[in-house]
Amino acid sequence: MTAGANSHTSSTPSKPYDHHPSLPPPSSPALEACLSRILLIRLRHDIARLYSGHLVRVCEDVLPILMVDIVALSSPGWLAANARQSEELKAFLRSCIAMDLRQVGERVGTKSLIWSYTAVRDFAVARNIPLCPRSGIHSYSLVPHTNKLKAHLQTLEALPPPTFYKPHTMGRLLPNFDVIEKHCEARVRRMIFACRKDEGVYPSAYECTSDDEEEGEEKEEKEERRRLLPPAWRDWKVKIKIGYDMLVTALWETANEFNPAGFGAGLTDRLTTSWCDCGCSWDWLGEIAEKMFHKDIDSRPNRTGKEREWDGRGSGVPGWNTESESDVWEFDLDFKQSHGDENGREDAEESFYTTGELVRLRYVQAERAKEKGNTLFKRGCYKEAIDCYEEAQGHEPGIPYYQLNIAAAHLKLQNWINAEEACTRSLGQHLTGKGFWRRSKARQGLGKREEAIQDLREMLKLRADDADAAAELLKLKDESRNDRRLSPSSRENEAWQTRSCGSSSSSAPSPTTSTSRLNTSLTKTGPSISDDLPFDLHDVDFTRIKIGSIKRTWRALDNNQEETFSYPVWDSHDVSLA
């Protein structure tokens, strides 16, 4: 979305200028700054809310299928034991989330701007501000109400930062447990039948393990069935339910490594640096949003009161009669739209494709540039690799990992400032151990030892068992301790402590003892999650499993050649033994 055909740059003077009597008066820079900030904050909260709704549906529809594939290679207790600790599983979840969030502009941006415009429109109607039939609210008509809008902005800014969470209006999760239960029942049936076959017994009662028939069995028969099952498959119903809860928790924990405010870079730029303070940006938005408002009203004219909360913020609230909010990530982006520049000219090539095709093309072009950069990086051509990684980032600013590639190349060239900036940009979208590690290296190069230590601590919060990070942190803390000991003030303080406490060597721990204690505190991860489980775990519950995305091959739209790339999506995964 651009600021319109008559958009000015942000450097346009905001002082009053002469107007023709037929032209509307100018807006106020303070009002325009307030309006653009309102749109931006609501956009970030809309991203968090809408994507949280999508993750709820992932929990209900996708995770049970993923569980079936995992249990088929391991056991019912694998997820209970490993879901929150498996880096393989979390890497798959991260890749799917990142692929979803790169589409924020197409899936959330327009809706959020129209919803926010509608809220301001309701504000104007309640205060009898005249509306233009074509453009809705002109921003100059809101100038007398700037202070009230600023008060609303202060309310928005006082909200907690947007995060991904399960919306309370969605009720409890209703997973498709039939999928996993039928799979496990079939496995149990086959195992019991195989045991009975070895014993020469073929009673039909052992060929079914459904809930209804279990309730009618005698206690002795149940114990017999339990005896016939391998230890890892006993109490399998309890195990898969706990495993599902662990998998859901792992999904939300992984999602909250991402920052909703770090996505939608194009819209963020247009609502900040490209937003014009003369009022034309808002007026252009009004021309589009007013049409959409009337289209919605005409399609459902009989709604009253809270039923008109069509923007989704009231969806699911009892007594409001509002419809459930749609999952915007389920829609196919199979529509065409104008891709014009600021002067209204369309790119003939881009306007030929649907939005979905352009989203895919954008990713393919970015991955193509990244792969070229990786090849150059391996050859030691770091400057050329940076150019390729920056090209990839230009195609896909919503994917944070290209910035980490840029940082890695800058570290090789000892461009510490550039490496630190690239890592900071990546961490602004997604908190990763690799991002903190590389920024720590860059900050060490810049002499920022305390900041480097803090980065390593943040990394160990994400990956507590990383031995390299623990060793690096110990080294930096020892260096910092030695520097303090060598300073004049530290020597004076040490001498004073010696006089006060005596010369006993037992009162001051040796550096070796101190380092040993720190090493113990870093490597101690606390009680294992498995310690709290209501069942015993077995070797098969710790089977090493690989979970990845299936590579896809398509014919590229820009060069008509077939290319194969990893394209993470929720319903397409490959589970195999490591």
Side-chain angles (χ1 to χ4, degrees):
M1 184 179 294
T2 60
N6 298 320
S7 174
H8 306 300
T9 63
S10 58
S11 60
T12 302
S14 58
K15 62 182 180 181
Y17 52 91
D18 294 334
H19 273 73
H20 189 276
S22 63
L23 293 178
S27 182
S28 151
L31 171 66
E32 292 299 326
C34 178
L35 291 174
S36 64
R37 182 66 180 163
I38 288 173
L39 295 175
L40 180 61
I41 295 177
R42 287 172 68 101
L43 169 66
R44 290 171 175 174
H45 283 276
D46 286 337
I47 291 171
R49 192 188 79 257
L50 289 174
Y51 192 62
S52 294
H54 176 63
L55 289 179
V56 168
R57 291 171 177 86
V58 168
C59 292
E60 295 176 341
D61 300 332
V62 177
L63 296 191
I65 298 174
L66 178 61
M67 288 180 66
V68 168
D69 293 338
I70 292 175
V71 171
L73 293 177
S74 55
S75 67
W78 191 94
L79 284 163
N82 302 284
R84 296 180 63 188
Q85 304 173 48
S86 170
E87 281 302 316
E88 286 280 348
L89 175 59
K90 288 191 173 182
F92 172 73
L93 298 178
R94 290 183 187 113
S95 63
C96 292
I97 292 171
M99 288 296 286
D100 284 344
L101 291 178
R102 77 185 183 90
Q103 303 175 25
V104 156
E106 289 80 11
R107 297 192 178 275
V108 179
T110 301
K111 282 180 175 291
S112 177
L113 293 181
I114 292 174
W115 293 341
S116 297
Y117 170 85
T118 304
V120 178
R121 187 184 191 280
D122 290 343
F123 172 88
V125 170
R127 287 157 181 79
N128 297 318
I129 297 175
L131 303 179
C132 171
R134 178 173 174 269
S135 302
I137 318 164
H138 288 294
S139 59
Y140 66 82
S141 62
L142 295 171
V143 170
H145 305 277
T146 299
N147 289 337
K148 292 181 180 178
L149 289 170
K150 284 184 176 180
H152 175 63
L153 174 60
Q154 291 175 355
T155 302
L156 293 177
E157 289 179 332
L159 293 173
T163 57
F164 299 114
Y165 62 96
K166 178 180 170 296
H168 67 279
T169 57
M170 292 193 127
R172 66 186 184 89
L173 289 174
L174 299 173
N176 187 11
F177 258 123
D178 288 346
V179 174
I180 180 67
E181 285 184 344
K182 287 179 180 178
H183 169 79
C184 290
E185 284 175 358
R187 289 281 299 274
V188 168
R189 190 182 305 119
R190 289 195 297 269
M191 286 186 285
I192 292 179
F193 183 81
C195 291
R196 281 304 187 182
K197 183 178 179 181
D198 292 340
E199 297 176 3
V201 180
Y202 303 88
S204 60
Y206 290 104
E207 297 181 8
C208 184
T209 60
S210 64
D211 289 341
D212 293 339
E213 291 176 344
E214 270 193 16
E215 291 175 0
E217 290 176 353
E218 298 294 337
K219 182 177 180 181
E220 295 78 4
E221 293 292 341
K222 290 183 180 181
E223 290 299 324
E224 176 67 7
R225 291 158 57 84
R226 179 182 174 85
R227 180 187 68 81
L228 293 172
L229 289 174
W233 277 84
R234 295 168 186 168
D235 301 320
W236 62 269
K237 291 184 179 179
V238 174
K239 292 179 179 181
I240 63 169
K241 289 180 179 178
I242 293 177
Y244 173 78
D245 290 340
M246 292 289 189
L247 182 55
V248 169
T249 301
L251 175 62
W252 289 112
E253 288 176 348
T254 304
N256 277 297
E257 295 173 2
F258 292 81
N259 178 14
F263 296 89
L267 276 174
T268 299
D269 176 72
R270 288 161 185 166
L271 292 174
T272 53
T273 58
S274 298
W275 189 265
C276 182
D277 61 9
C278 77
C280 65
S281 295
W282 175 267
D283 290 345
W284 177 82
L285 172 63
E287 289 185 17
I288 297 175
E290 191 69 17
K291 294 177 183 177
M292 296 297 296
F293 175 83
H294 286 290
K295 182 178 179 181
D296 180 75
I297 293 296
D298 294 341
S299 63
R300 289 175 290 179
N302 297 323
R303 293 175 300 159
T304 59
K306 289 298 183 182
E307 293 182 34
R308 296 184 60 192
E309 294 286 338
W310 66 286
D311 63 0
R313 295 180 181 86
S315 64
V317 177
W320 282 21
N321 297 324
T322 51
E323 298 178 358
S324 296
E325 191 165 52
S326 300
D327 182 359
V328 297
W329 266 269
E330 287 186 346
F331 300 147
D332 290 330
L333 300 175
D334 56 357
F335 52 88
K336 294 184 180 181
Q337 61 182 19
S338 172
H339 301 277
D341 60 18
E342 290 187 354
N343 296 318
R345 295 189 299 268
E346 288 191 1
D347 186 315
E349 181 181 356
E350 288 196 348
S351 62
F352 178 77
Y353 303 123
T354 66
T355 299
E357 289 172 333
L358 288 173
V359 168
R360 190 180 70 189
L361 173 62
R362 199 173 66 207
Y363 177 74
V364 168
Q365 290 174 332
E367 284 293 292
R368 188 188 298 153
K370 184 202 75 174
E371 292 298 331
K372 183 179 178 181
N374 288 346
T375 302
L376 292 168
F377 187 93
K378 292 174 183 177
R379 293 176 183 170
C381 304
Y382 302 121
K383 291 183 179 179
E384 293 80 359
I386 290 173
D387 292 338
C388 292
Y389 294 144
E390 288 179 343
E391 179 185 348
Q393 184 68 27
H395 288 302
E396 277 289 9
I399 295 182
Y401 313 126
Y402 301 139
Q403 290 287 357
L404 293 180
N405 294 338
I406 294 171
H410 279 302
L411 286 174
K412 290 290 186 181
L413 296 171
Q414 297 187 1
N415 295 335
W416 310 123
I417 294 177
N418 292 335
E420 181 188 26
E421 290 175 350
C423 289
T424 300
R425 286 191 292 268
S426 178
L427 292 169
Q429 293 178 298
H430 183 204
L431 300 179
T432 59
K434 190 178 293 186
F436 284 118
W437 172 261
R438 291 181 183 173
R439 192 168 70 175
S440 174
K441 288 293 185 182
R443 287 177 166 176
Q444 289 179 57
L446 292 169
K448 301 178 179 179
R449 183 184 296 149
E450 293 304 317
E451 290 90 338
I453 288 174
Q454 185 59 36
D455 279 341
L456 290 171
R457 286 173 173 163
E458 293 298 325
M459 179 181 176
L460 287 167
K461 289 179 183 178
L462 297 172
R463 297 162 58 177
D465 57 348
D466 194 297
D468 291 337
E472 188 78 6
L473 180 56
L474 287 171
K475 185 190 78 170
L476 292 180
K477 289 184 74 68
D478 285 342
E479 292 175 357
S480 180
R481 188 183 302 108
N482 291 335
D483 287 350
R484 288 196 298 269
R485 187 179 296 117
L486 293 174
S487 65
S489 59
S490 296
R491 286 199 296 267
E492 293 174 4
N493 186 48
E494 186 175 344
W496 180 85
Q497 290 181 353
T498 302
R499 290 193 301 271
S500 301
C501 302
S503 59
S504 174
S505 60
S506 61
S507 63
S510 66
T512 303
T513 304
S514 176
T515 301
S516 176
R517 289 178 179 175
L518 179 58
N519 188 33
T520 302
S521 67
L522 286 174
T523 56
K524 183 178 179 182
T525 58
S528 171
I529 293 175
S530 60
D531 293 342
D532 299 326
L533 296 176
F535 49 80
D536 294 330
L537 294 173
H538 307 273
D539 290 343
V540 71
D541 295 324
F542 297 97
T543 302
R544 293 186 62 192
I545 289 178
K546 292 175 61 178
I547 306 171
S549 303
I550 297 176
K551 290 190 175 182
R552 296 190 176 189
T553 300
W554 344 207
R555 190 172 296 277
L557 297 174
D558 55 347
N559 59 18
N560 203 32
Q561 295 180 0
E562 287 192 351
E563 297 179 87
T564 301
F565 295 102
S566 175
Y567 196 84
V569 290
W570 290 108
D571 57 357
S572 180
H573 54 263
D574 179 36
V575 181
S576 60
L577 294 174

